[in-house]
Amino acid sequence: MRLRALLDTDALGLRLLGGDDELDRTVRGVMTTDLRDPSRYLSGGELVLTGLAWRRDADDSEPFVRILAQAGVAALAAGEAELGAVPEDLVAACVRHRLPLFAVHESVAFATITEHVVRQVSGERAGDLAAVVDRHRRMMTSGPTGGGPDVVLDLLGSDLDLRAWVLSPTGRLIAGPKVAGPGMPADLCAKLAAEHLAAARTGRRGPHRVTLGPATYSLFPIRSWGQRPAPAGGGRAAQASRDVRETVLSDWLLAVEADAGDWPAERLDLLQGVTQLISVERDRRDAARTVRRRLAQEVLELVQSGAAPAEIAARLRVAAPVLLPGLGAAPHWQVVVARVEWEGSDIEAGPVAQALLEEILVDPLATGPEPSDRIAVAHTGDEAIALVPLPAVSAEHDGSEAGILADTLLESVRDPLSAGLDDDGQVTLGVSAAVHSAEGLRGALEEARHARRVAAARPGRVCAAGHQELASHVLLLPFVPDDVRRAFTARLLDPLRDYDRRHRAELIPTLEAFLDCDGSWTRCATRLHLHVNTLRYRVGRIEQLTSRDLSRLEDKLDFFLALRMS
């Protein structure tokens, strides 16, 4: 289709700001982005939609437009919902690069434009496709109350007698037909996700057919519009962008309880159209994560740059009501670090690790329209870092901490992810202890990164390690660096130091004397000029704060090493 046709479509509400002599350009696709550099997702001919979240000042417009022009996009459409009128610096940059620029009125959803372009580019479907897509378009673009993917799955059931479900790559049930009886069991979701990822790694085009028990399923990939593969004939750059590992761990899938092997072309075309519509909903959900991702990125940058705790605390106060509305107080926090690595490849894995960590950390018990709305994940390089709020955590470090446990984090997703990683990929995660102040956040990040390195040293394609494992002297043998030693001693001794500072106690000196006296109550009490009962109270407090037992040789040794290295 031509750009001119978009301008002539009143329902889209587009207003031309520049490039009237370029309106005969052909539009081959559509992409929504707020990345500063979306070049790796562009193949040429796209209408690029942006909410301008990438623009922080006037100097950002020129490099952004230059990247789009070099990628050969057809035009740029900027939404007016974020900044009001489209900035003049963006208009000027588009004029310089001869890139047509449209303004999108704030009342028009990007989903409406995307769906229109998809329909026009793909051509009108025949028969049942036209009916389903048209009915779903009206529901999908009517806002949050439109129903989302569940509605189109209900339409597939009522109009075509097809039961279908939308699944994440980890096997989480994202959407299903509400009128088709009970939902799909979690173990079946995980098996279908694993089958889909294994088939995708072979490079075969979908749908992938699999038989589990008495039923046969056809599995269709649902790709984000920002991650669609380049079309054939796109040149060397397009060939490079086809590596399935770039998106295999982040693509959704549509599981249809039917054998698509004998379907006519029209029916296959119908399901492909449905996956495109659901991808619009997926992009909408990704866009809704922008604020949380930005908050996490800002906190991460402050922590890594050594900013003052007061500045970090201010950012955390901003993040708390966004992630936990109605909490009323700043929560405790945990840090989770994830990394996706591929052997013999330089694939940029940061964005995939970010999407994957958001998916892994979804709380199935969370209320609200989207259970991932309480997760803030940033990425830097090939590493993703999650800031996880915990509304109720003990401040006494007494071993009663609630939160994420590394050994249970990957239980439900290990099999599907292993299938997608095949024999050349690895996903590793590290989990910090909970912290209750900005001062502890830097240590939590360091702790999570060390735990991830411990996980990476283990056999297996999907591994996780928690902060508890850093407080074992066994790990000091392979980890000699000073930063690891600091993490080891901090985990054991910081709760005692905090308690001594707050209560003017002497737990650390008591611990040193107790170990020097080989655990003898009488000798230690005499050395410290204490009653034996007072000594027993102090040792009991040490054990309570650290969740250790000073009658055990292993725990005595851990404390001995920590005191010697501190």
Side-chain angles (χ1 to χ4, degrees):
M1 65 177 300
R2 305 285 183 182
L3 287 176
R4 193 179 307 278
L6 289 175
L7 194 60
D8 292 339
T9 305
D10 294 337
L12 301 182
L14 296 177
R15 181 163 49 89
L16 185 65
L17 301 181
D20 53 345
D21 55 343
E22 301 286 342
L23 291 179
D24 287 327
R25 290 188 181 187
T26 300
V27 180
R28 297 187 178 88
V30 63
M31 173 191 175
T32 301
T33 186
D34 275 314
L35 296 173
R36 287 190 169 190
D37 180 4
S39 57
R40 61 182 178 272
Y41 301 131
L42 297 171
S43 57
E46 296 94 347
L47 170 66
V48 174
L49 305 175
T50 180
L52 300 177
W54 51 266
R55 182 187 179 275
R56 298 184 180 178
D57 54 50
D59 292 337
D60 292 337
S61 293
E62 169 63 26
F64 180 77
V65 173
R66 182 172 63 250
I67 289 170
L68 299 188
Q70 291 174 348
V73 305
L76 174 65
E80 295 180 325
E82 181 80 12
L83 301 178
V86 177
E88 288 298 328
D89 49 272
L90 180 59
V91 177
C94 288
V95 170
R96 283 194 297 273
H97 290 278
R98 299 182 62 83
L99 182 67
L101 175 63
F102 299 97
V104 181
H105 193 271
E106 63 181 357
S107 64
V108 178
F110 281 180
T112 301
I113 300 173
T114 299
E115 194 273 338
H116 178 83
V117 173
V118 169
R119 284 172 54 88
Q120 295 301 316
V121 170
S122 301
E124 292 297 330
R125 271 72 173 186
D128 51 8
L129 174 63
V132 172
V133 170
D134 187 60
R135 287 171 61 185
H136 183 254
R137 178 191 63 79
R138 295 194 298 271
M139 297 178 182
M140 199 75 151
T141 59
S142 61
T145 60
D150 300 277
V151 175
V152 75
L153 299 183
D154 282 337
L155 292 174
L156 286 176
S158 61
D159 290 19
L160 307 175
D161 197 25
L162 291 176
R163 282 164 39 95
W165 300 263
V166 177
L167 307 177
S168 77
T170 63
R172 179 171 67 94
L173 180 62
I174 295 171
K178 296 180 179 179
V179 298
M184 180 178 286
D187 60 341
L188 180 55
C189 290
K191 290 178 181 178
L192 289 175
E195 293 284 351
H196 172 73
L197 292 176
R201 284 304 311 272
T202 67
R204 292 187 289 112
R205 296 185 61 183
H208 310 299
R209 287 175 290 159
V210 57
T211 299
L212 295 176
T216 297
Y217 299 88
S218 297
L219 310 177
F220 295 78
I222 301 173
R223 296 186 175 91
S224 168
W225 279 101
Q227 297 178 335
R228 291 190 176 275
R236 184 174 301 174
Q239 293 291 336
S241 69
R242 288 198 182 106
D243 193 327
V244 68
R245 294 176 296 181
E246 293 182 1
T247 60
V248 68
L249 297 182
S250 57
D251 285 344
W252 287 0
L253 68 134
L254 178 68
V256 182
E257 189 178 1
D259 187 345
D262 56 356
W263 281 3
E266 292 81 3
R267 180 61 62 90
L268 287 171
D269 198 27
L270 182 153
L271 268 297
Q272 295 294 349
V274 168
T275 64
Q276 291 174 2
L277 286 170
I278 296 175
S279 74
V280 174
E281 170 66 11
R282 186 217 172 132
D283 287 344
R284 185 190 69 78
R285 296 189 185 190
D286 281 346
R289 292 176 175 173
T290 301
V291 173
R292 298 188 296 278
R293 288 175 172 177
R294 187 179 301 171
L295 284 172
Q297 192 70 44
E298 290 175 353
V299 173
L300 175 62
E301 290 173 357
L302 289 174
V303 170
Q304 296 191 128
S305 64
E311 188 175 359
I312 299 174
R315 282 282 187 259
L316 291 177
R317 284 194 294 272
V318 172
V322 174
L323 299 176
L324 290 176
L327 183 64
H332 296 71
W333 304 92
Q334 261 182 300
V335 175
V336 182
V337 173
R339 193 177 182 94
V340 177
E341 296 176 287
W342 302 101
E343 296 174 7
S345 173
D346 57 355
I347 294 173
E348 182 182 2
V352 172
Q354 181 183 46
L356 187 59
L357 188 52
E358 288 172 335
E359 186 60 45
I360 290 174
L361 291 174
V362 166
D363 181 2
L365 301 179
T367 57
E370 172 57 33
S372 62
D373 60 359
R374 294 181 175 180
I375 301 166
V377 184
H379 76 83
T380 173
D382 290 337
E383 182 182 69
I385 301 169
L387 189 64
V388 182
L390 302 174
V393 179
S394 170
E396 288 289 334
H397 299 279
D398 61 0
S400 64
E401 296 179 354
I404 297 170
L405 300 176
D407 55 353
T408 59
L409 187 61
L410 298 180
E411 281 184 2
S412 62
V413 302
R414 182 174 279 110
D415 289 345
L417 292 182
S418 297
L421 293 164
D422 199 15
D423 60 355
D424 61 345
Q426 186 181 41
V427 170
T428 52
L429 289 90
V431 182
S432 79
V435 296
H436 57 90
S437 66
E439 289 87 346
L441 208 54
R442 186 173 185 179
L445 175 58
E446 183 178 346
E447 190 173 57
R449 282 174 166 162
H450 289 322
R452 192 208 63 78
R453 294 190 187 102
V454 171
R458 293 173 174 168
R461 291 296 169 188
V462 184
C463 299
H467 56 90
Q468 302 93 336
E469 300 174 69
L470 295 181
S472 172
H473 62 277
V474 176
L475 292 179
L476 293 179
L477 298 178
F479 292 103
V480 177
D482 290 341
D483 52 354
V484 177
R485 293 171 181 261
R486 287 194 299 271
F488 176 82
T489 58
R491 178 62 186 161
L492 278 175
L493 301 183
D494 277 0
L496 306 182
R497 291 173 179 145
D498 291 344
Y499 188 89
D500 282 350
R501 183 171 57 254
R502 287 186 285 109
H503 298 279
R504 297 183 180 181
E506 294 183 344
L507 297 185
I508 291 290
T510 301
L511 175 63
E512 291 176 331
F514 187 74
L515 294 176
D516 285 344
C517 293
D518 297 324
S520 169
W521 297 100
T522 302
R523 287 165 50 199
C524 184
T526 301
R527 175 184 294 191
L528 295 176
H529 305 288
L530 297 174
H531 192 279
V532 172
N533 288 343
T534 302
L535 176 60
R536 290 185 184 277
Y537 171 82
R538 289 188 183 180
V539 170
R541 194 60 175 162
I542 291 170
E543 292 175 336
Q544 182 184 26
L545 290 171
T546 60
S547 299
R548 295 303 182 104
D549 183 354
L550 279 168
S551 67
R552 297 177 66 243
L553 176 61
E554 181 180 356
D555 288 343
K556 288 179 182 177
L557 180 57
D558 283 346
F559 279 122
F560 176 82
L561 290 173
L563 288 169
R564 289 297 181 271
M565 291 190 297
S566 63

